[in-house]
Amino acid sequence: MLQKNWQALRCTMLDVSHLSRHYGDSVALDDISLHLDTGRVLAVLGPSGCGKSTLLKLVSGLEDPDSGEIRINGRLIAKRGFSLPPEKRPINMVFQDYALWPHMKVRNIVGYGLTSLSRSERKRRVDELLSLLHLDGYADRLPAELSGGQQQRVAIARALATDPEVLLFDEPLSNLDVQLRMEMRHELADLFERLRKTVLYVTHDPLEACAFADELLVLRHGKLEQVGPVRSLFADPASPWVAGLAGYDSRLTAHLHSAIGNGLWRLTVGNQTLVCRLAECAQAVPGAPVSLMLHSSSIKLCSKDEEQHPDVNYLSGTVRQCIFEGHQWRIRLDLGETLLSLVSNQRHERGSGLSVSFTQHSALAFH
Ligand code: ADP
Ligand code: MG
């Protein structure tokens, strides 16, 4: 029944336009716009201090904007000089530190906002929510009698209880240990898929973001760095900084040589020649220095006598370092002027020679 209500078609959407917030002289959020359709999950990604929580506080009404507007379903909820109180906004938030009332039992925490329901309706709804979050049998416990993962699930059940239009999550998994975080990632992915809620999910972990988000918005120093479908962050990062965030862990110094069409350029790394994709073609000048970004998953080891394909790049270097990572070894390959990071399923001696290959489109050059 509850599920049916949640799945009913609505035209809810969150519109944030040109939102800014300063604290004294420092800019926490600078001219941020986003648009979130009903039932979509948008992950806001960025390092500590980039303004993620500030954005959620402005949307939830815990803070007021200096400029810009926030609308839900077309209705203005905040702008400079006007702010709908948090309790009047159809929004609930799940916090990083759970924020559960320590003296209240799980049943009362989850049912706290359900004041308009009769006692029996309220009990039925709380039981339904506890079951949805795999918390059957925990209704009469206090928060201190629950594990971290269970406490976070109680916080999620509380946020879902009043069936808000928009759900906000502020790094909800970052206080959990690695294994539990992985489990909760699956659980949240499942929950979001089943409930089809409109979600703004803040995290500093790109893998957490892509586990269940439809779109990503990347923040850096309060400014928007990139926004778009999850895959575009990994396939087409907008800057070397976003590429680094997306796991491109090698940054080689290279020089442009000549354009060969289709966004591809011939370039040199030390005395070796490659063909790669150029991220910003407009400013391309032969001879210009560029940063060549590569993801270790696109680099393959190859033997010296292997047949070479015309549309694949080949590089040779000397093993500078080889460290064990549990299932594989991570190698830093010295290419003369620069280091390449790659993984191998076997150990390689420091000082030994290695050849690697990667496709032309997997390497991205940035000015
Ligand atoms: P994040 O959640 O991405 O870690 P925040 O939104 O919490 O970042 O903070 C963004 C910036 O604004 C930081 O530099 C932080 O120090 C500053 N900031 C946040 N809240 C306040 C506040 N209440 N007073 C002063 N500065 C603040
Ligand atoms: Mg934060």
Side-chain angles (χ1 to χ4, degrees), residues 4 7 11 15 17 72 114 127 147 149 173 183 187 274 276 296 314 362:
K4 209 169 161 196
Q7 285 173 352
C11 58
D15 279 300
S17 50
I72 288 195
L114 301 174
D127 286 344
S147 71
L173 309 187
E183 279 171 30
E187 245 182 69
L274 306 171
C276 300
S296 49
Y314 296 89
S362 64

Side-chain angles (χ1 to χ4, degrees), residues 51-159:
K52 304 183 296 297
S53 296
T54 302
L55 175 62
L56 292 194
K57 284 180 196 159
L58 294 174
V59 173
S60 64
L62 295 174
E63 301 265 355
D64 299 332
D66 293 330
S67 56
E69 283 186 4
I70 306 170
R71 288 177 186 271
I72 288 195
N73 221 353
R75 179 186 174 203
L76 183 68
I77 59 164
K79 65 173 189 176
R80 187 184 175 89
F82 169 76
S83 180
L84 200 66
E87 64 279 7
K88 297 240 166 82
R89 299 186 185 194
I91 293 173
N92 278 339
M93 183 146 150
V94 176
F95 297 89
Q96 181 175 356
D97 61 358
Y98 322 135
L100 302 178
W101 301 291
H103 60 285
M104 275 168 79
K105 288 183 176 172
V106 167
R107 175 183 306 289
N108 297 328
I109 294 172
V110 174
Y112 187 78
L114 301 174
T115 44
S116 60
L117 300 186
S118 70
R119 213 182 148 98
S120 63
E121 281 174 333
R122 188 172 163 186
K123 180 179 181 314
R124 191 173 49 78
R125 190 143 194 180
V126 168
D127 286 344
E128 225 168 359
L129 284 157
L130 292 181
S131 173
L132 185 75
L133 272 301
H134 310 295
L135 286 165
D136 311 78
Y138 291 91
D140 292 315
R141 296 220 191 167
L142 292 171
E145 295 163 349
L146 300 172
S147 71
Q150 288 164 341
Q151 288 185 44
Q152 193 52 287
R153 289 208 290 264
V154 172
I156 295 169
R158 174 181 58 186

Side-chain angles (χ1 to χ4, degrees), residues 21-24 26-29 44-57 63 96 170-171 202-204 219 221-222:
R21 170 74 202 209
H22 299 70
Y23 292 106
S26 82
V27 183
L29 213 58
V44 179
L45 183 65
S48 179
C50 72
K52 304 183 296 297
S53 296
T54 302
L55 175 62
L56 292 194
K57 284 180 196 159
E63 301 265 355
Q96 181 175 356
D170 194 356
E171 308 216 37
V202 155
T203 177
H204 64 268
L219 282 181
H221 303 315

Side-chain angles (χ1 to χ4, degrees), residues 262-278:
N262 212 12
L264 295 175
W265 273 68
R266 203 177 304 284
L267 43 83
T268 53
V269 174
N271 57 5
Q272 308 187 69
T273 304
L274 306 171
V275 173
C276 300
R277 204 151 52 101
L278 188 64

